[in-house]
Amino acid sequence: MKQRVITGIIFIIVVAAFIIPAYFMPLMALVFALIVGSVAGNEMHKALKEGGYKPMPSMIVAGGILALGTIGLTYLLKKDFIFASAVYLFVELLLCMIASIMPAILNKSEKPLEDGIATSFTIVYVTFPLFCLVTSVLFVENGWFYMIPALIAPWVSDVFAYFCGVLMGKHKIVPHISPKKTWEGSIGGAICCALVVVLYSDLIIYKLDSIQINIVLFSIIIFVLGILISVMSQLGDWIASVIKRHVGIKDYGKFMPGHGGMLDRFDSAFFTLPLSLILAFVASFLH
């Protein structure tokens, strides 16, 4: 337990060392995404291989390069996050279609369909959330402030879900995936997470972007979005657990004692980071 706490504190300090400077130097968000994406992609590749799949490393790397190229193109053309998102979806979906049939074309796989899908899944699973993180910081006005709730929401949701589960938890949600998680904990975590997101948005985003509607209505809209963020956070955790159970591993990595690997720490954030762009879109619509 002591080792887990120490590692957790070090992890938070390292993440903060990239995220806080990103407010002043947005390209730090890109460096952070490259590090996380490289390690996470490698961990997912190894995990799927443990399960008997053969995802194609070259295609996964190509997915990262295309995401990086989309960011570069958007920056050079001085476009916004909507342009970046549209280009990303086009090029990455096209790549995923190619990756899905490539094992069958090359005829080097005993399970070409499964291996192709595993490759496509890894591309989207790793590149999409990190692309959203970088895009929100680089191409959205005040985008750094939209990224923060998406990053901290998984931790807030987990903490409150744990305490609500300990105090009131009786009904299991998915015992075959996460034996300790309960409906009471999940709902409590979602509500508390939504309240934290509302408080943050009212104090920061509402004033920062001069939202042109009543703060009560704005709070209701953000509360609903906060619930969605918590749900996506928990869904990300469950999906990561399902994959680990399916391929027969305990953790995705070992470089963080007591915590596992990069994916073990960012599995929830990978599902909440895309909502940072949704939060930005909502704010820009209400501005």
Side-chain angles (χ1 to χ4, degrees):
M1 184 64 178
K2 182 180 179 181
Q3 180 65 67
R4 182 177 176 84
V5 172
I6 293 173
T7 305
I9 293 173
I10 294 174
F11 172 75
I12 292 173
I13 293 173
V14 171
V15 171
F18 284 95
I19 296 304
I20 294 176
Y23 175 74
F24 306 98
M25 298 178 291
L27 286 178
M28 285 294 292
L30 179 59
V31 175
F32 177 72
L34 286 173
I35 295 173
V36 174
S38 298
V39 178
N42 184 55
E43 288 178 348
M44 181 58 74
H45 177 258
K46 288 183 176 179
L48 293 173
K49 285 187 69 175
E50 285 288 326
Y53 300 96
K54 295 180 180 179
M56 302 178 64
S58 58
M59 285 291 179
I60 297 173
V61 172
I65 292 173
L66 285 177
L68 184 62
T70 299
I71 292 171
L73 178 65
T74 305
Y75 182 80
L76 290 174
L77 296 179
K78 298 181 179 180
K79 298 293 185 178
D80 59 11
F81 71 98
I82 296 177
F83 173 86
S85 301
V87 174
Y88 169 86
L89 290 174
F90 177 80
V91 297
E92 293 291 359
L93 288 178
L94 181 60
L95 177 66
C96 286
M97 291 174 64
I98 296 172
S100 296
I101 62 171
M102 191 59 70
I105 293 175
L106 296 177
N107 196 28
K108 293 183 179 181
S109 172
E110 297 177 358
K111 301 181 295 183
L113 180 60
E114 291 88 340
D115 292 342
I117 292 175
T119 303
S120 299
F121 168 78
T122 303
I123 292 171
V124 176
Y125 186 85
V126 175
T127 66
F128 181 56
L130 295 173
F131 171 82
C132 291
L133 182 152
V134 176
T135 300
S136 64
V137 175
L138 290 182
F139 306 125
V140 177
E141 186 178 0
N142 301 319
W144 186 87
F145 293 95
Y146 297 108
M147 173 192 63
I148 296 302
L151 275 178
I152 66 172
W155 299 332
V156 173
S157 183
D158 283 350
V159 168
F160 283 106
Y162 172 78
F163 285 110
C164 291
V166 169
L167 295 174
M168 301 177 289
K170 293 181 180 179
H171 303 89
K172 304 292 184 182
I173 303 180
V174 281
H176 59 290
I177 299 175
S178 297
K180 297 181 180 180
K181 289 187 175 10
T182 63
W183 278 107
E184 292 82 1
S186 178
I187 294 172
I191 293 174
C192 292
C193 176
L195 291 175
V196 170
V197 173
V198 167
L199 182 63
Y200 173 88
S201 299
D202 285 351
L203 294 176
I204 304 295
I205 294 176
Y206 187 84
K207 296 179 180 179
L208 194 68
D209 283 344
S210 302
I211 305 298
Q212 298 300 308
I213 64 171
N214 184 280
I215 193 170
V216 175
L217 179 57
F218 175 74
S219 299
I220 293 173
I221 294 172
I222 297 301
F223 181 83
V224 174
L225 183 58
I227 292 289
L228 179 60
I229 290 174
S230 179
V231 170
M232 294 303 291
S233 170
Q234 297 178 53
L235 182 62
D237 181 44
W238 294 345
I239 289 177
S241 296
V242 168
I243 295 172
K244 285 191 288 188
R245 286 178 178 271
H246 181 70
V247 301
I249 61 174
K250 183 176 183 289
D251 295 311
Y252 284 104
K254 298 180 180 179
F255 76 94
M256 288 189 286
H259 289 265
M262 190 71 75
L263 280 176
D264 295 290
R265 291 296 85 208
F266 281 92
D267 52 4
S268 295
F270 274 11
F271 277 67
T272 59
L273 283 171
L275 296 177
S276 62
L277 285 182
I278 294 180
L279 179 59
F281 179 78
V282 170
S284 64
F285 179 76
L286 298 175
H287 179 61

